[in-house]
Amino acid sequence: MGNRIFGLDPQLLADTAITLLAMLVLFILLSYLLFNPARKLIQKRKDFIQSQLDDAAKAQADAKEMKSQYDERLSQVDAEAAELLAEARRKALDREKEIVDQASEEAHQIKVRAEKEVELEKSRVRDEMKQEMVQVASAMAGRFVAASMDEDKQAQLIDETLKEMGDETWQN
C-alpha cells in the first residue's frame, strides 16, 4: 500500500457509499421538512402579492370609473347651472318688461289724469271769466242807465272797463 497516493480500499468505498446514501436521505428528509414548507410559504407569499396587485388594479379601475362618472356629473352640473342662469336671465327680462309696461301704463294714466285736470281747470277758468264778463256787463249797464250818455261817453266807458279788467283777460 505504500506505492499508492490515493488508495481505494473496500472500506473507503463502503464509507463513501454510506455517506452518499445518508446525504441522499438527509436531502430528501430536509426537502420534505424544510424546502417544501419554504416553497409553500413562498408560493403563499406570491399568491398574496398577486392578489394585492389584482386588488390594486381593480381599485385603480374603479377609481378611473368613478372619476369618469364624477367628470360626467360635473359637466352635467355645469350644464344645469348654465341652464338655470339662462332661465333666471329670461325670467329677469320678462319681469323687467312687465315692470316697464306697468310703469308705462301708470305714466299714461297719470298723463290722462293731468290732461283731465287741465281741461277741468280750463273750464273752471272759462266759467270764472264768463261770470266776470257778466259782472262787467252788469256794471256797464248800470253805469249806462245811471247816466244817459252819448256815444263818446259810452266808448270812453267801455275803454275804462276794459282797462280795469286788463288786457290779459281778453288775450287768453
Side-chain angles (χ1 to χ4, degrees), residues 2 10 14 43 64 72 74 80 88 94 103 108 111 128 138 146 155 159 168:
Q43 187 60 41
K64 284 182 181 179
E72 182 180 329
L74 190 60
E80 287 177 15
D94 290 347
H108 177 70
K111 182 181 174 186
E128 287 178 3
S138 298
D159 286 339
E168 292 179 15

Side-chain angles (χ1 to χ4, degrees), residues 80-116:
E80 287 177 15
E83 184 178 322
L84 288 174
L85 285 174
E87 180 69 18
R89 284 187 192 112
R90 185 189 61 76
K91 285 182 180 180
L93 289 174
D94 290 347
R95 182 66 180 144
E96 176 188 17
K97 185 177 184 284
E98 182 181 316
I99 289 171
V100 168
D101 289 345
Q102 286 178 350
S104 176
E105 179 65 28
E106 288 178 14
H108 177 70
Q109 289 175 356
I110 290 171
K111 182 181 174 186
V112 167
R113 261 184 278 155
E115 287 175 353
K116 285 181 181 179

Side-chain angles (χ1 to χ4, degrees), residues 113-146:
R113 261 184 278 155
E115 287 175 353
K116 285 181 181 179
E117 287 177 8
V118 167
E119 287 298 321
L120 288 173
E121 186 65 24
K122 281 183 182 179
S123 68
R124 186 183 62 78
V125 168
R126 283 186 197 129
D127 288 343
E128 287 178 3
M129 193 183 327
K130 286 179 184 177
Q131 289 175 357
E132 197 172 315
M133 288 175 71
V134 167
Q135 289 175 355
V136 168
S138 298
M140 277 181 47
R143 286 186 185 175
F144 185 70
V145 171

Side-chain angles (χ1 to χ4, degrees), residues 42-75:
I42 290 172
Q43 187 60 41
K44 283 182 184 179
R45 183 70 181 157
K46 281 182 182 178
D47 292 344
F48 176 74
I49 290 171
Q50 187 60 44
S51 70
Q52 291 292 321
L53 290 174
D54 292 343
D55 289 346
K58 185 177 182 251
Q60 187 177 16
D62 290 345
K64 284 182 181 179
E65 182 181 339
M66 289 177 73
K67 183 183 182 298
S68 67
Q69 289 175 355
Y70 173 76
D71 289 341
E72 182 180 329
R73 287 182 184 165
L74 190 60
S75 67

